[in-house]
Amino acid sequence: MKQNRNEENGGPENDTAHRFHIEDGPGVQDAPPSARDGSVTSGQVGPKFNGHFSPSESPPISDAPDTPPPAREAPAPSGRSKYRPHSEQARFSDRLRREEEPPPGGDGGHSADGGGPSSDKKAARNDRRFEKSKFRTEKTGAKLDAAREKAAAQKPPKPNPAKNVAKKAAAGVWYYAHQKIHEVEQENVGVEAAHKTELAGEKTVRGASRFVKHRIQTRPARRVTKWERRDIRAKADFEYRRMAREHPELKENAVSRFFQKQRIKRQYQKQAREAAKQGARAAGKATTATAKIARAAAAFAKRHPAGLLIALIAFLLILALQSCMASMTTIGNGLIGAVGAGTYPSQNSDMLAAEAAYSGLETKLQSEADNYATLHPGYDEYHFNLDKIGHDPYVLISILSALHEGAWTIDEVQSTLSTLFGKQYQLTQSVQTETRYRTEMSTVTNPDGSTSTVTTQVPYTYTICTVTLHNEDLSHLPASVLTEEQLSRYAFYMKTHGNRPDLFPQSQYPNASVLEQYTDYTIPEAYMSDKTFAAMMTEAKKYLGYPYVWGGSSPETSFDCSGYVSWVINHSGWNVGRLGAQGLYDICTPIPASEAKPGDLVFFERTYDTTGVSHVGIYVGDGEMIAAGDPIGYSDITTSYWQSHFLSFGRLPSP
């Protein structure tokens, strides 16, 4: 029985038994053991129940959890089986009730006037919705007020003549730069593609910038519009629920509810429009007042033209002064930026330490080369083919500053120093073996007992070690270790020596380069009558004073000798691409010196350790050439140095 199962489960102390107490109602039949075990109970979620109730009856719930259930009554006689079909049994959720909830059909059941649990729940739900709607109305009203305050506090942009002048100057520079690129982009497909890509990118950036600025400027107004819409909806909903509370007949059907909400919403929209009209009328009044002030000012100007003229002149003077100050600021910022861009960014102590560390590596290398036979014994003969060890400290510091793109410390560049040293110097050895013979004398005893001396040639292996030290020259490395942008920065540093020409004086650093002004020369006007030569000189003179940069081939990276000549002729009517000195020699027709004329190329050999053509320049007549020395400038080719390396003149093919 049920009370026995409660006792088995722990009686009143059991949590489930404490919450629910089920009493057997009339007509309950004893279930068979299988039914009492609960094996056939369907959908049961609480304690197992073994009895059965008629669909019209519900088991009463005891008000006192500790009160034992009453004794089971005898089963009433019935004409049908005591086992009822599952479809006729009451659901378990209908049988179990909370202690506070009365069973259906009793005093707490549904009354005829609609009261009861479902009505109470519906009323509570409506109350919650009403409070929620009220809170939403208050929230949207506060948000709308805050948005209107922020919109009213927004200040219109002030005119800035100085800023406008600076913008116009920047636009002029931009237009000039792109115009120059457009003039030459047809000659090079890569330049044209890069230029078009740059223009597209700039257009995208400008469009995005304008869009973002517009969104920022209009954000307060957009937020006012947004919260006005939400406030109207919230007020309409709250007003409807308030009216529905006072007049329950409004809730009869969904159609009436919908039209009622729409009427309320239209009322609030009408109020919003009236408020907007009042604002427009206020603005019109303000405009009228402004017009009156303007008319009064015009009348004053008619009465006092001299005073107006003086005020206008004073205003223009102030505006001109502001423009001049803005221009001076722009020019000053440009000069400061140029000086800053060409100045070494690191501390003197770090730059001197880097130079000392690199020189220390060179000292160790020189010591190994001088003592190679001692350090690497075992060979019969040593041959040495050693390049001179040394570097320009300004080249080293310029490479480090361009590569690290900012201030650096000695600890940060230690690995870079090792990498550069390994690329500049290569110490190698090759071993050759020869079979040689030496004469050996031995004494032998003849058959007659006499002795004689026998001379024999004995072969042996003779080893020769050839040691080679190659110095690539540190100034040749930037073209292979730097990107184009970094190479441009390196060229700028070399042009100014980092604005520190006193950092490495030649008295202490004999390999340090010295900034030199290019040698100028006036080309006779008669030679400039040749249009082709005049075009070459117009382009060539643009880059006078640029530093020599190995591998450089553009104004951004500066030039080496062949890069300079290739650039000039490609922008003077030819299209030969980027050629080396040997490549330029190959496209020219060699001519004797007696036939050379301005515009021909002049070639030299053995100016450094290489085979074939090693230097090239443009002949300008009267024994002068313009070429990429250090820096780019004019040179007299009749000097002993150039004559000792002279190879040939060459005439370019027709453009």
Side-chain angles (χ1 to χ4, degrees):
M1 296 180 65
K2 185 65 180 178
Q3 55 267 39
N4 293 337
R5 291 188 60 81
N6 288 340
E7 293 174 358
E8 292 172 1
N9 292 333
E13 296 299 324
N14 182 272
D15 182 64
T16 305
H18 179 76
R19 291 182 59 195
F20 300 102
H21 297 277
I22 304 174
E23 298 179 358
D24 294 335
V28 176
Q29 302 293 335
D30 288 335
S34 61
R36 287 197 302 270
D37 293 339
S39 59
V40 296
T41 303
S42 174
Q44 186 165 319
V45 294
K48 292 182 179 180
F49 177 73
N50 302 323
H52 297 275
F53 299 89
S54 64
S56 62
E57 295 179 350
S58 299
I61 298 177
S62 174
D63 293 334
D66 296 332
T67 303
R72 182 186 298 273
E73 298 180 1
S78 175
R80 59 178 182 177
S81 172
K82 62 180 179 180
Y83 300 109
R84 298 177 183 177
H86 188 274
S87 60
E88 297 181 8
Q89 298 179 10
R91 292 179 302 173
F92 192 77
S93 59
D94 295 334
R95 298 198 300 267
L96 297 181
R97 301 285 178 179
R98 298 278 182 180
E99 296 177 4
E100 301 82 13
E101 184 179 349
D107 295 338
H110 295 281
S111 61
D113 58 354
S118 61
S119 298
D120 294 341
K121 288 182 179 180
K122 189 173 183 180
R125 183 170 63 250
N126 290 335
D127 290 341
R128 288 194 301 271
R129 290 178 177 176
F130 179 81
E131 294 298 329
K132 186 175 180 181
S133 178
K134 181 179 180 181
F135 173 75
R136 189 186 304 115
T137 304
E138 295 173 351
K139 179 180 177 181
T140 55
K143 290 283 188 180
L144 178 58
D145 293 339
R148 284 173 174 170
E149 291 177 1
K150 185 171 289 188
Q154 186 181 21
K155 297 180 180 179
K158 296 181 179 179
N160 191 336
K163 188 175 181 180
N164 293 338
V165 171
K167 285 184 176 180
K168 289 182 179 179
V173 172
W174 178 89
Y175 178 77
Y176 177 79
H178 282 283
Q179 185 181 25
K180 290 298 181 183
I181 297 174
H182 181 70
E183 290 176 359
V184 301
E185 67 179 358
Q186 303 298 330
E187 302 175 5
N188 191 309
V189 177
V191 173
E192 182 179 7
H195 188 211
K196 289 183 178 179
T197 303
E198 181 186 3
L199 290 175
E202 291 176 352
K203 182 178 180 182
T204 302
V205 171
R206 287 195 300 271
S209 177
R210 286 195 297 267
F211 175 78
V212 171
K213 289 181 180 178
H214 176 73
R215 296 290 293 180
I216 293 174
Q217 291 175 355
T218 60
R219 187 172 186 270
R222 287 187 288 106
R223 288 185 63 84
V224 169
T225 304
K226 167 187 171 182
W227 287 111
E228 281 180 347
R229 290 196 300 266
R230 293 190 178 184
D231 186 58
I232 289 173
R233 289 198 300 267
K235 286 181 178 178
D237 182 73
F238 175 71
E239 184 66 20
Y240 163 75
R241 294 188 184 280
R242 186 183 64 79
M243 294 178 64
R245 245 184 170 187
E246 298 174 357
H247 306 282
E249 63 273 9
L250 294 176
K251 299 185 292 183
E252 291 179 356
N253 57 71
V255 176
S256 63
R257 289 198 301 269
F258 173 77
F259 284 107
Q260 182 66 22
K261 284 186 177 181
Q262 294 302 314
R263 281 196 300 271
I264 296 172
K265 186 181 293 187
R266 284 194 296 270
Q267 291 176 2
Y268 279 105
Q269 288 175 346
K270 182 178 180 181
Q271 293 177 6
R273 287 194 299 270
E274 290 295 331
K277 288 180 181 179
Q278 291 179 3
R281 285 194 292 269
K285 292 180 180 179
T287 303
T288 304
T290 304
K292 290 181 179 179
I293 294 173
R295 286 194 296 270
F300 176 82
K302 289 180 180 179
R303 292 194 303 269
H304 306 282
L308 179 63
L309 181 61
I310 293 173
L312 180 60
I313 292 174
F315 175 75
L316 292 177
L317 287 175
I318 294 173
L319 184 62
L321 181 61
Q322 288 182 342
S323 301
C324 291
M325 292 296 294
S327 300
M328 292 176 64
T329 302
T330 304
I331 295 172
N333 290 337
L335 292 175
I336 292 172
V339 173
T343 302
Y344 290 142
S346 302
Q347 299 294 327
N348 288 359
S349 57
D350 291 312
M351 292 189 287
L352 294 174
E355 167 59 22
Y358 202 82
S359 297
L361 296 175
E362 290 179 330
T363 300
K364 291 181 180 179
L365 180 62
Q366 186 68 61
S367 177
E368 182 178 3
D370 294 341
N371 301 282
Y372 199 88
T374 304
L375 297 174
H376 304 276
Y379 302 102
D380 298 303
E381 187 176 345
Y382 291 85
H383 293 170
F384 294 94
N385 182 17
L386 306 177
D387 288 347
K388 184 179 178 181
I389 295 177
H391 70 279
D392 182 352
Y394 284 108
V395 172
L396 176 64
I397 302 304
S398 296
I399 292 176
L400 294 176
S401 299
L403 190 61
H404 289 271
E405 299 182 358
W408 45 266
T409 63
I410 181 60
D411 295 331
E412 294 173 345
V413 299
Q414 287 290 356
S415 60
T416 306
L417 293 175
S418 300
T419 301
L420 293 175
F421 187 81
K423 290 181 177 293
Q424 181 181 358
Y425 297 105
Q426 295 87 38
L427 182 64
T428 59
Q429 71 172 24
S430 60
V431 179
Q432 294 179 340
T433 59
E434 298 178 357
T435 300
R436 296 190 178 185
Y437 296 88
R438 61 174 176 267
T439 301
E440 293 185 358
M441 300 179 66
S442 59
T443 302
V444 297
T445 303
N446 299 322
D448 59 359
S450 61
T451 61
S452 60
T453 300
V454 179
T455 301
T456 58
Q457 297 292 321
V458 179
Y460 69 96
T461 301
Y462 188 84
T463 57
I464 302 174
C465 178
T466 301
V467 181
T468 303
L469 174 61
H470 174 67
N471 182 356
E472 180 62 24
D473 195 326
L474 189 61
S475 64
H476 294 181
L477 298 185
S480 60
V481 300
L482 301 179
T483 64
E484 185 172 354
E485 182 180 355
Q486 293 170 342
L487 193 61
S488 176
R489 194 177 297 114
Y490 164 80
F492 202 5
Y493 285 138
M494 287 302 298
K495 185 176 182 179
T496 62
H497 274 189
N499 292 315
R500 292 301 313 278
D502 59 331
L503 187 61
F504 301 109
Q506 282 195 317
S507 58
Q508 301 178 32
Y509 304 91
N511 294 320
S513 57
V514 178
L515 287 178
E516 296 181 359
Q517 295 296 326
Y518 67 91
T519 303
D520 204 354
Y521 174 75
T522 302
I523 301 174
E525 288 294 333
Y527 297 157
M528 300 298 290
S529 60
D530 185 342
K531 293 183 179 180
T532 302
F533 177 68
M536 293 174 68
M537 290 302 99
T538 300
E539 185 67 23
K541 289 179 180 179
K542 294 178 182 178
Y543 313 110
L544 289 171
Y546 276 50
Y548 180 91
V549 175
W550 178 271
S553 59
S554 69
E556 289 75 20
T557 62
S558 197
F559 303 93
D560 61 11
C561 63
S562 59
Y564 176 62
V565 174
S566 296
W567 178 274
V568 170
I569 64 177
N570 282 327
H571 291 78
S572 304
W574 286 268
N575 185 14
V576 300
R578 170 60 163 102
L579 298 176
Q582 185 65 50
L584 290 168
Y585 180 81
D586 293 339
I587 67 171
C588 289
T589 302
I591 56 175
S594 59
E595 298 180 9
K597 67 176 184 178
D600 291 335
L601 304 187
V602 56
F603 299 95
F604 302 89
E605 60 183 351
R606 302 189 313 278
T607 52
Y608 64 95
D609 186 14
T610 187
T611 58
V613 181
S614 61
H615 190 66
V616 61
I618 301 174
Y619 186 60
V620 298
D622 299 333
E624 293 285 336
M625 73 171 178
I626 185 171
D630 199 4
I632 295 175
Y634 295 95
S635 300
D636 183 359
I637 63 174
T638 62
T639 61
S640 58
Y641 174 80
W642 290 116
Q643 286 299 309
S644 64
H645 295 284
F646 176 78
L647 176 61
S648 174
F649 284 99
R651 182 155 296 165
L652 288 164
S654 298

Short mmCIF file of all heavy atoms in Angstrom, two decimals, residues 370-407:
data_model
loop_
_atom_site.label_atom_id
_atom_site.label_comp_id
_atom_site.label_asym_id
_atom_site.label_seq_id
_atom_site.Cartn_x
_atom_site.Cartn_y
_atom_site.Cartn_z
N ASP A 370 97.02 36.61 -41.87
CA ASP A 370 98.46 36.79 -41.67
C ASP A 370 99.12 35.55 -41.08
O ASP A 370 100.30 35.29 -41.34
CB ASP A 370 98.71 37.99 -40.75
CG ASP A 370 98.28 39.31 -41.39
OD1 ASP A 370 98.15 39.33 -42.64
OD2 ASP A 370 98.06 40.29 -40.67
N ASN A 371 98.38 34.78 -40.30
CA ASN A 371 98.94 33.61 -39.63
C ASN A 371 98.31 32.32 -40.12
O ASN A 371 98.17 31.35 -39.36
CB ASN A 371 98.74 33.74 -38.12
CG ASN A 371 99.37 34.99 -37.54
OD1 ASN A 371 100.58 35.05 -37.33
ND2 ASN A 371 98.54 36.01 -37.31
N TYR A 372 97.90 32.31 -41.36
CA TYR A 372 97.18 31.16 -41.88
C TYR A 372 98.03 29.89 -41.85
O TYR A 372 97.55 28.81 -41.50
CB TYR A 372 96.70 31.43 -43.31
CG TYR A 372 95.59 30.51 -43.74
CD1 TYR A 372 94.27 30.82 -43.50
CD2 TYR A 372 95.86 29.31 -44.40
CE1 TYR A 372 93.24 29.99 -43.89
CE2 TYR A 372 94.85 28.46 -44.79
CZ TYR A 372 93.52 28.81 -44.53
OH TYR A 372 92.51 27.96 -44.91
N ALA A 373 99.29 30.02 -42.21
CA ALA A 373 100.16 28.83 -42.24
C ALA A 373 100.34 28.23 -40.86
O ALA A 373 100.41 27.00 -40.69
CB ALA A 373 101.52 29.21 -42.84
N THR A 374 100.40 29.11 -39.85
CA THR A 374 100.54 28.61 -38.48
C THR A 374 99.24 28.00 -37.97
O THR A 374 99.26 26.97 -37.28
CB THR A 374 100.98 29.76 -37.56
OG1 THR A 374 102.18 30.34 -38.06
CG2 THR A 374 101.20 29.28 -36.13
N LEU A 375 98.13 28.64 -38.30
CA LEU A 375 96.84 28.16 -37.82
C LEU A 375 96.37 26.92 -38.57
O LEU A 375 95.58 26.13 -38.04
CB LEU A 375 95.79 29.27 -37.94
CG LEU A 375 96.04 30.53 -37.11
CD1 LEU A 375 95.00 31.60 -37.44
CD2 LEU A 375 96.00 30.21 -35.63
N HIS A 376 96.83 26.76 -39.81
CA HIS A 376 96.42 25.61 -40.63
C HIS A 376 97.67 24.93 -41.19
O HIS A 376 97.97 25.04 -42.39
CB HIS A 376 95.50 26.08 -41.77
CG HIS A 376 94.30 26.84 -41.29
ND1 HIS A 376 93.14 26.24 -40.88
CD2 HIS A 376 94.09 28.19 -41.16
CE1 HIS A 376 92.26 27.17 -40.52
NE2 HIS A 376 92.83 28.36 -40.67
N PRO A 377 98.40 24.22 -40.37
CA PRO A 377 99.65 23.58 -40.84
C PRO A 377 99.34 22.32 -41.65
O PRO A 377 98.19 21.89 -41.77
CB PRO A 377 100.36 23.26 -39.54
CG PRO A 377 99.25 23.05 -38.55
CD PRO A 377 98.15 23.98 -38.95
N GLY A 378 100.42 21.72 -42.18
CA GLY A 378 100.27 20.43 -42.87
C GLY A 378 100.42 20.52 -44.37
O GLY A 378 100.27 19.50 -45.06
N TYR A 379 100.68 21.70 -44.89
CA TYR A 379 100.85 21.85 -46.34
C TYR A 379 102.30 22.21 -46.63
O TYR A 379 102.99 22.85 -45.83
CB TYR A 379 99.91 22.94 -46.88
CG TYR A 379 98.44 22.66 -46.59
CD1 TYR A 379 97.78 23.32 -45.56
CD2 TYR A 379 97.73 21.72 -47.34
CE1 TYR A 379 96.45 23.07 -45.29
CE2 TYR A 379 96.40 21.47 -47.07
CZ TYR A 379 95.76 22.13 -46.04
OH TYR A 379 94.45 21.86 -45.77
N ASP A 380 102.75 21.81 -47.80
CA ASP A 380 104.15 22.07 -48.16
C ASP A 380 104.38 23.50 -48.64
O ASP A 380 105.48 24.03 -48.51
CB ASP A 380 104.58 21.08 -49.26
CG ASP A 380 104.50 19.64 -48.78
OD1 ASP A 380 105.14 19.33 -47.76
OD2 ASP A 380 103.76 18.84 -49.39
N GLU A 381 103.33 24.10 -49.19
CA GLU A 381 103.50 25.44 -49.75
C GLU A 381 102.18 26.19 -49.64
O GLU A 381 101.11 25.59 -49.73
CB GLU A 381 103.92 25.33 -51.22
CG GLU A 381 104.29 26.65 -51.87
CD GLU A 381 104.78 26.48 -53.29
OE1 GLU A 381 105.11 25.33 -53.68
OE2 GLU A 381 104.82 27.48 -54.03
N TYR A 382 102.23 27.52 -49.42
CA TYR A 382 101.05 28.36 -49.27
C TYR A 382 101.11 29.48 -50.30
O TYR A 382 102.14 30.14 -50.44
CB TYR A 382 100.96 28.96 -47.87
CG TYR A 382 100.68 27.95 -46.77
CD1 TYR A 382 101.73 27.23 -46.19
CD2 TYR A 382 99.39 27.70 -46.35
CE1 TYR A 382 101.49 26.30 -45.19
CE2 TYR A 382 99.13 26.77 -45.34
CZ TYR A 382 100.19 26.07 -44.77
OH TYR A 382 99.94 25.15 -43.79
N HIS A 383 100.00 29.66 -51.00
CA HIS A 383 99.86 30.79 -51.90
C HIS A 383 98.71 31.67 -51.39
O HIS A 383 97.66 31.14 -51.00
CB HIS A 383 99.55 30.33 -53.33
CG HIS A 383 100.69 29.60 -53.96
ND1 HIS A 383 100.56 28.92 -55.16
CD2 HIS A 383 101.99 29.43 -53.59
CE1 HIS A 383 101.71 28.38 -55.50
NE2 HIS A 383 102.59 28.66 -54.54
N PHE A 384 98.89 32.96 -51.45
CA PHE A 384 97.87 33.88 -50.90
C PHE A 384 97.40 34.84 -51.99
O PHE A 384 98.22 35.45 -52.68
CB PHE A 384 98.43 34.66 -49.71
CG PHE A 384 98.74 33.81 -48.52
CD1 PHE A 384 100.02 33.30 -48.33
CD2 PHE A 384 97.75 33.48 -47.61
CE1 PHE A 384 100.30 32.50 -47.25
CE2 PHE A 384 98.03 32.69 -46.52
CZ PHE A 384 99.30 32.19 -46.33
N ASN A 385 96.06 34.95 -52.08
CA ASN A 385 95.43 35.91 -52.99
C ASN A 385 94.40 36.67 -52.17
O ASN A 385 93.23 36.30 -52.09
CB ASN A 385 94.77 35.18 -54.17
CG ASN A 385 94.15 36.15 -55.16
OD1 ASN A 385 94.46 37.33 -55.15
ND2 ASN A 385 93.27 35.64 -56.01
N LEU A 386 94.83 37.75 -51.53
CA LEU A 386 94.02 38.42 -50.52
C LEU A 386 93.62 39.82 -50.98
O LEU A 386 94.47 40.61 -51.38
CB LEU A 386 94.79 38.52 -49.21
CG LEU A 386 95.35 37.21 -48.64
CD1 LEU A 386 96.15 37.48 -47.37
CD2 LEU A 386 94.24 36.21 -48.38
N ASP A 387 92.30 40.10 -50.91
CA ASP A 387 91.83 41.47 -51.12
C ASP A 387 92.10 42.29 -49.86
O ASP A 387 92.24 41.76 -48.76
CB ASP A 387 90.32 41.49 -51.43
CG ASP A 387 90.00 40.97 -52.81
OD1 ASP A 387 90.94 40.83 -53.61
OD2 ASP A 387 88.81 40.68 -53.08
N LYS A 388 92.11 43.59 -50.05
CA LYS A 388 92.32 44.48 -48.92
C LYS A 388 91.09 44.47 -48.02
O LYS A 388 89.95 44.45 -48.47
CB LYS A 388 92.60 45.90 -49.42
CG LYS A 388 92.93 46.89 -48.32
CD LYS A 388 93.20 48.27 -48.91
CE LYS A 388 93.49 49.27 -47.79
NZ LYS A 388 93.75 50.62 -48.32
N ILE A 389 91.35 44.47 -46.72
CA ILE A 389 90.26 44.46 -45.74
C ILE A 389 89.97 45.90 -45.31
O ILE A 389 90.89 46.66 -44.99
CB ILE A 389 90.63 43.60 -44.51
CG1 ILE A 389 90.78 42.14 -44.93
CG2 ILE A 389 89.58 43.74 -43.41
CD1 ILE A 389 91.22 41.23 -43.81
N GLY A 390 88.68 46.27 -45.28
CA GLY A 390 88.30 47.61 -44.86
C GLY A 390 86.90 47.95 -45.33
O GLY A 390 86.34 47.28 -46.22
N HIS A 391 86.32 48.97 -44.75
CA HIS A 391 84.96 49.39 -45.12
C HIS A 391 84.78 50.86 -44.77
O HIS A 391 85.52 51.43 -43.96
CB HIS A 391 83.92 48.55 -44.39
CG HIS A 391 83.84 48.83 -42.91
ND1 HIS A 391 84.73 48.29 -42.01
CD2 HIS A 391 83.00 49.63 -42.17
CE1 HIS A 391 84.46 48.71 -40.79
NE2 HIS A 391 83.40 49.54 -40.86
N ASP A 392 83.74 51.45 -45.36
CA ASP A 392 83.36 52.82 -45.06
C ASP A 392 82.38 52.79 -43.89
O ASP A 392 81.29 52.21 -44.00
CB ASP A 392 82.71 53.47 -46.29
CG ASP A 392 82.33 54.93 -46.07
OD1 ASP A 392 82.43 55.41 -44.94
OD2 ASP A 392 81.93 55.58 -47.06
N PRO A 393 82.72 53.40 -42.74
CA PRO A 393 81.80 53.33 -41.59
C PRO A 393 80.45 54.00 -41.86
O PRO A 393 79.44 53.58 -41.30
CB PRO A 393 82.57 54.04 -40.47
CG PRO A 393 83.60 54.86 -41.15
CD PRO A 393 83.96 54.13 -42.40
N TYR A 394 80.42 55.02 -42.72
CA TYR A 394 79.13 55.65 -43.03
C TYR A 394 78.23 54.69 -43.81
O TYR A 394 77.00 54.70 -43.64
CB TYR A 394 79.34 56.93 -43.83
CG TYR A 394 79.81 58.09 -42.97
CD1 TYR A 394 81.11 58.57 -43.05
CD2 TYR A 394 78.94 58.70 -42.08
CE1 TYR A 394 81.54 59.62 -42.26
CE2 TYR A 394 79.36 59.76 -41.29
CZ TYR A 394 80.66 60.22 -41.38
OH TYR A 394 81.07 61.26 -40.59
N VAL A 395 78.83 53.87 -44.66
CA VAL A 395 78.04 52.85 -45.37
C VAL A 395 77.45 51.87 -44.37
O VAL A 395 76.27 51.50 -44.46
CB VAL A 395 78.91 52.13 -46.41
CG1 VAL A 395 78.15 50.94 -47.00
CG2 VAL A 395 79.33 53.08 -47.52
N LEU A 396 78.25 51.44 -43.39
CA LEU A 396 77.77 50.48 -42.40
C LEU A 396 76.61 51.06 -41.60
O LEU A 396 75.56 50.41 -41.45
CB LEU A 396 78.91 50.09 -41.46
CG LEU A 396 78.53 49.17 -40.29
CD1 LEU A 396 78.07 47.83 -40.81
CD2 LEU A 396 79.71 49.01 -39.32
N ILE A 397 76.76 52.26 -41.08
CA ILE A 397 75.71 52.84 -40.23
C ILE A 397 74.47 53.15 -41.08
O ILE A 397 73.33 53.01 -40.60
CB ILE A 397 76.22 54.11 -39.54
CG1 ILE A 397 77.46 53.77 -38.69
CG2 ILE A 397 75.14 54.72 -38.67
CD1 ILE A 397 77.23 52.68 -37.66
N SER A 398 74.64 53.55 -42.33
CA SER A 398 73.48 53.82 -43.19
C SER A 398 72.72 52.54 -43.48
O SER A 398 71.47 52.55 -43.51
CB SER A 398 73.94 54.48 -44.50
OG SER A 398 74.54 55.74 -44.26
N ILE A 399 73.43 51.44 -43.70
CA ILE A 399 72.74 50.15 -43.92
C ILE A 399 71.95 49.75 -42.68
O ILE A 399 70.78 49.35 -42.77
CB ILE A 399 73.75 49.06 -44.29
CG1 ILE A 399 74.37 49.34 -45.67
CG2 ILE A 399 73.09 47.69 -44.30
CD1 ILE A 399 75.45 48.36 -46.06
N LEU A 400 72.57 49.86 -41.51
CA LEU A 400 71.88 49.46 -40.28
C LEU A 400 70.66 50.34 -40.03
O LEU A 400 69.59 49.85 -39.65
CB LEU A 400 72.84 49.55 -39.09
CG LEU A 400 74.03 48.58 -39.09
CD1 LEU A 400 74.94 48.85 -37.91
CD2 LEU A 400 73.55 47.14 -39.06
N SER A 401 70.79 51.64 -40.25
CA SER A 401 69.67 52.55 -40.00
C SER A 401 68.53 52.32 -40.98
O SER A 401 67.36 52.41 -40.61
CB SER A 401 70.15 54.01 -40.10
OG SER A 401 71.15 54.28 -39.13
N ALA A 402 68.86 52.02 -42.24
CA ALA A 402 67.81 51.74 -43.23
C ALA A 402 67.16 50.39 -42.99
O ALA A 402 65.94 50.23 -43.16
CB ALA A 402 68.39 51.80 -44.64
N LEU A 403 67.96 49.42 -42.57
CA LEU A 403 67.44 48.06 -42.40
C LEU A 403 66.54 47.96 -41.18
O LEU A 403 65.51 47.28 -41.21
CB LEU A 403 68.61 47.08 -42.27
CG LEU A 403 68.29 45.59 -42.33
CD1 LEU A 403 67.65 45.23 -43.65
CD2 LEU A 403 69.56 44.77 -42.12
N HIS A 404 66.89 48.63 -40.09
CA HIS A 404 66.10 48.54 -38.86
C HIS A 404 65.03 49.61 -38.77
O HIS A 404 64.24 49.60 -37.81
CB HIS A 404 67.04 48.60 -37.65
CG HIS A 404 67.87 47.37 -37.47
ND1 HIS A 404 67.45 46.29 -36.74
CD2 HIS A 404 69.08 47.03 -37.98
CE1 HIS A 404 68.38 45.33 -36.77
NE2 HIS A 404 69.37 45.76 -37.53
N GLU A 405 65.00 50.55 -39.71
CA GLU A 405 63.91 51.52 -39.86
C GLU A 405 63.62 52.26 -38.55
O GLU A 405 62.48 52.33 -38.09
CB GLU A 405 62.65 50.81 -40.36
CG GLU A 405 62.84 50.15 -41.71
CD GLU A 405 61.57 49.49 -42.22
OE1 GLU A 405 60.57 49.53 -41.49
OE2 GLU A 405 61.59 48.95 -43.34
N GLY A 406 64.62 52.80 -37.96
CA GLY A 406 64.42 53.57 -36.73
C GLY A 406 65.63 53.42 -35.82
O GLY A 406 66.66 52.86 -36.20
N ALA A 407 65.48 53.96 -34.62
CA ALA A 407 66.58 53.90 -33.66
C ALA A 407 66.86 52.45 -33.27
O ALA A 407 65.95 51.65 -33.10
CB ALA A 407 66.23 54.72 -32.42
#
